[in-house]
């Protein structure tokens, strides 16, 4: 090969490889669940059927549902580092007319002194009942908040559609909430847009130091339900098969 043919050969190989990688990218179609935000994978979780008593005590029925965590950090709105921010482990139950949420919050110091409800140590629940994933709030969408003292507040829609109790624990507080489903009759297989947010007034100054979320890692859920995760109303979790050692 002369020097020129060798240069031409190398150049055409590189061009071919470049085209091949471009066409691979073109055909990598996003899965439906990833469409809301390509950079952050949309999560899905399953709620189990059941009707708990809303009293702040953790009924046995909760153990039939799966557990998830508010482990996404809303960096743009937080000063407290992620590993020091309050975080919740939560579970969901459903019946025809309600969504139930149990959140066990780890919060080093409880503060509800902030003037605005969202500045206080609190748990927020977001729902999009018809899963339209709108970028604003429709009638079926809702923002529900309960602080560490059990005080309830709402976003733009709805009003007075939640029953909730908060109980302090040694490591934070527990929230048990029942949210009325006003736009759908839930049945097995129904899906709604859903998210959980934990607000943390980390230094008890009356202003929020950190936000942790389950799915949407922006602070937009209160005005935009397009980035919520997906909650599926499913069956109860299969009980663990007992081994000889467990018996
Ligand atoms: C947000 C706040 C917002 C509030 C409105 C909260 O979820 O984090 O930034 O002002 O909702 O209700
Ligand atoms: Ca909606």
């Amino acid at each position: 090969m002369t020097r020129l043919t060798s240069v031409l050969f190398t150049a055409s190989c590189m061009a071919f490889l470049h085209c091949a990688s471009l066409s691979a990218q073109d055909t990598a179609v996003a899965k439906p669940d990833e469409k809301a935000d390509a950079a952050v994978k949309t999560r899905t979780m399953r709620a189990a059927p059941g009707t708990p008593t809303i009293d702040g005590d953790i009924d046995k029925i909760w153990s039939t549902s799966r557990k998830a965590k508010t482990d996404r950090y809303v960096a743009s709105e937080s000063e407290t580092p992620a590993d020091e921010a309050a975080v919740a482990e939560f579970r969901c139950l459903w019946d025809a007319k309600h969504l139930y949420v149990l959140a066990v919050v780890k919060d080093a110091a409880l503060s509800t002194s902030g003037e605005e409800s969202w500045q206080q140590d609190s748990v927020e629940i977001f729902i999009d009942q018809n899963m339209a994933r709108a970028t604003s709030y429709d009638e079926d969408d809702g923002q529900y908040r309960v602080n560490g003292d059990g005080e309830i507040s709402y976003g733009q829609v709805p009003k007075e559609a939640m029953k909730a109790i908060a109980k302090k624990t040694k490591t934070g507080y527990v929230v048990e909430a029942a949210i009325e489903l006003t736009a759908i009759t839930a049945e097995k297989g129904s899906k709604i847009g859903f998210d959980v947010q934990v607000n943390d007034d980390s230094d008890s100054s009356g202003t929020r130091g950190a936000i942790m979320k389950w799915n949407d890692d922006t602070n937009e859920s209160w005005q935009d339900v397009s980035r919520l995760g997906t909650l599926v109303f499913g069956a109860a979790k299969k009980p663990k098969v007992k081994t000889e050692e467990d018996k």
Side-chain angles (χ1 to χ4, degrees):
M1 249 191 248
T2 64
R3 181 135 194 279
L4 180 64
T5 34
S6 127
V7 167
L8 284 174
F9 178 69
T10 313
S12 55
C13 281
M14 283 171 71
F16 172 76
L17 286 174
H18 181 64
C19 288
S21 87
L22 274 185
S23 69
Q25 276 169 24
D26 289 348
T27 52
V29 178
K31 290 191 198 116
D33 256 352
E34 292 169 359
K35 270 185 192 152
D37 190 329
V40 182
K41 196 172 183 318
T42 300
R43 288 172 161 169
T44 296
M45 83 174 276
R46 202 175 337 139
T51 307
T53 310
I54 304 300
D55 54 7
D57 293 333
I58 305 176
D59 317 19
K60 245 187 160 181
I61 183 113
W62 285 111
S63 64
T64 63
S65 64
R66 281 155 205 274
K67 198 161 66 176
K69 204 171 177 178
T70 58
D71 55 5
R72 288 189 174 165
Y73 181 57
V74 182
S76 59
E77 293 286 323
S78 305
E79 285 159 17
T80 305
D83 58 356
E84 287 170 29
V87 59
E89 282 194 339
F90 63 92
R91 297 171 187 265
C92 301
L93 292 168
W94 66 275
D95 62 28
K97 277 286 146 212
H98 300 90
L99 162 67
Y100 303 97
V101 180
L102 168 73
V104 178
V105 187
K106 265 199 192 147
D107 190 324
L110 205 66
S111 164
T112 51
S113 63
E115 238 171 74
E116 299 280 0
S117 50
W118 50 270
Q119 302 269 21
Q120 306 169 357
D121 287 340
S122 53
V123 171
E124 297 191 27
I125 299 160
F126 301 91
I127 62 169
D128 168 12
Q129 296 178 66
N130 68 1
M131 276 266 277
R133 298 207 181 282
T135 51
S136 56
Y137 266 60
D138 294 332
E139 273 303 307
D140 65 292
D141 304 326
Q143 177 187 8
Y144 308 77
R145 187 185 301 105
V146 50
N147 75 6
D149 293 328
E151 281 161 23
I152 292 173
S153 50
Y154 297 94
Q156 343 178 14
V157 193
K159 300 279 173 266
E160 290 154 30
M162 171 168 76
K163 184 180 174 193
I165 301 274
K167 261 197 183 173
K168 295 183 181 70
T169 64
K170 279 187 192 144
T171 48
Y173 57 101
V174 167
V175 166
E176 202 176 22
I179 291 173
E180 210 181 305
L181 297 170
T182 51
I184 55 164
T185 299
E187 47 189 46
K188 199 161 163 240
S190 302
K191 287 181 185 176
I192 62 167
F194 173 76
D195 219 327
V196 175
Q197 167 172 330
V198 176
N199 298 313
D200 185 12
D201 174 8
S202 359
D203 59 0
S204 303
S205 62
T207 53
R208 183 171 59 192
I211 308 177
M212 296 294 288
K213 303 270 277 275
W214 172 57
N215 191 73
D216 178 5
D217 71 344
T218 73
N219 182 31
E220 295 300 315
S221 310
W222 64 280
Q223 55 184 356
D224 174 347
V225 294
S226 69
R227 293 188 203 83
L228 305 185
T230 304
L231 184 68
V232 182
F233 295 141
K237 192 176 79 178
K238 284 208 182 78
K240 252 204 212 151
V241 180
K242 278 194 177 165
T243 63
E244 277 310 309
E245 277 169 28
D246 295 331
K247 284 177 190 164

